[in-house]
Every structure is written in C-alpha cells, then in structure tokens.
Amino acid sequence: MPADYNGRWEMVSNDKFEDILKAIDIDFATRKIASHLSQTKEIVQDGDKFETKTLSTFRNYEVNFTIGEEFEEHTKGLDNRKVMTMVTRDGDKLVCVQKGEKDNRGWKQWLEGDMLHLEIHVLDKVCHQVFKKSQ
Ligand code: VLZ
C-alpha cells in the first residue's frame, strides 16, 4: 500500500524557504512577505494522480501531476518560469525534478506518521517544510 497523501496539511515549520525564493530571483519585498506565511497543503491523490494546492493568505500555488509523466509546469505566482517537471517514487517518497533555467531544482515529499515533510531544493539551497495533518 503506497503512502496516502490525501488531505489537508497545515504548516508547522518552514526552514530556509527564503533561500529558495532568493535562488529563483524573487524580489526582496515579496520574499519578506512570503517567507513568513503559514502555508496549507490540500492534496487529492488517486493512485498515481495528484492534485495539489499550496494555499496562503498572500498567494496560492496549484500543480497537478501523474507519477512518471513529464509535463511543462508554469510556476505561476512564484518565479513565473516554465520548467519540465517529472515526479517519481523512491519507495514512499515522491521525488520531483524540475528541469529548466535553474540547476538542481526540485523537491522531495514524504510522510512520517501524521506529518508531511517537503524538502525543496534549487542550486545549492535546501528548504525543509513540515506540515501536520488536519483533515
Ligand atoms: O510543492 O511545489 O508539495 O505539489 C508557495 C506558495 C508554493 C506561497 C511553493 C508563497 C511550491 C508564494 C512548493 C511566494 C511568492 C511545491 C509541491 C509539493 C506541490
């Protein structure tokens, strides 16, 4: 039985998110706002298909994907770039590679009990977010 990411997840920690925003060229003012936001993740998973929403009071980010299927992701409201994205599984972990202008861009997501962990990386920067299941 693969990991079940379905549900609503509330942010409990967000380490070095501003480093990621800087690495993708987000301006100072936006970084100061965005790095202090509490984010909520809503995930609807049906087998290998994921619909994800990252919500905040400032901006929302939505991306849908199917494991193993590469697609063009437009990082709308973030750095507004186009990247070629593919998410695969490594055991119960989701591993995302975002090929584009910025090297070593992507994220890994996994579960530990009722906590969802997300590690976002760009260039030599790494951010670690933790979310707690709320629904
Ligand atoms: O996460 O792609 O969980 O499937 C941040 C939005 C979204 C609010 C970060 C801040 C995207 C706005 C992370 C800043 C300008 C992401 C995936 C894995 C979604």
Side-chain angles (χ1 to χ4, degrees):
M1 181 77 175
D4 179 8
Y5 289 92
N6 276 295
R8 188 178 164 90
W9 306 82
E10 303 289 348
M11 178 172 267
V12 294
S13 65
N14 190 7
D15 184 47
K16 298 201 160 49
F17 185 55
E18 189 174 357
D19 288 0
I20 296 296
L21 297 176
K22 191 161 188 195
I24 58 173
D25 310 310
I26 303 294
D27 69 85
F28 180 86
T30 306
R31 287 203 309 269
K32 290 299 152 193
I33 298 168
S35 57
H36 291 102
L37 295 170
S38 184
Q39 301 174 22
T40 300
K41 246 177 235 283
E42 287 185 356
I43 302 177
V44 177
Q45 177 187 359
D46 180 8
D48 284 351
K49 282 190 68 178
F50 289 76
E51 295 175 359
T52 76
K53 293 181 184 167
T54 306
L55 306 171
S56 78
T57 53
F58 176 59
R59 251 171 232 175
N60 300 326
Y61 186 69
E62 299 189 14
V63 62
N64 302 333
F65 55 85
T66 301
I67 300 293
E69 289 186 10
E70 192 174 46
F71 65 100
E72 185 178 74
E73 179 177 3
H74 179 206
T75 60
K76 192 169 175 283
L78 302 176
D79 56 332
N80 298 303
R81 285 188 170 91
K82 299 247 170 98
V83 290
M84 288 308 293
T85 299
M86 179 143 90
V87 183
T88 55
R89 287 186 211 274
D90 176 12
D92 275 345
K93 252 184 209 189
L94 301 183
V95 178
C96 173
V97 175
Q98 294 167 315
K99 279 188 280 177
E101 187 184 333
K102 297 289 177 180
D103 285 341
N104 192 38
R105 182 168 185 170
W107 50 260
K108 291 180 184 178
Q109 187 167 278
W110 67 96
L111 300 178
E112 289 180 17
D114 65 345
M115 307 297 249
L116 179 149
H117 291 252
L118 175 61
E119 189 185 275
I120 304 171
H121 53 89
V122 181
L123 304 173
D124 63 341
K125 305 303 179 194
V126 183
C127 159
H128 185 200
Q129 303 181 330
V130 183
F131 299 78
K132 187 175 172 44
K133 183 132 197 198
S134 77
Q135 271 177 47

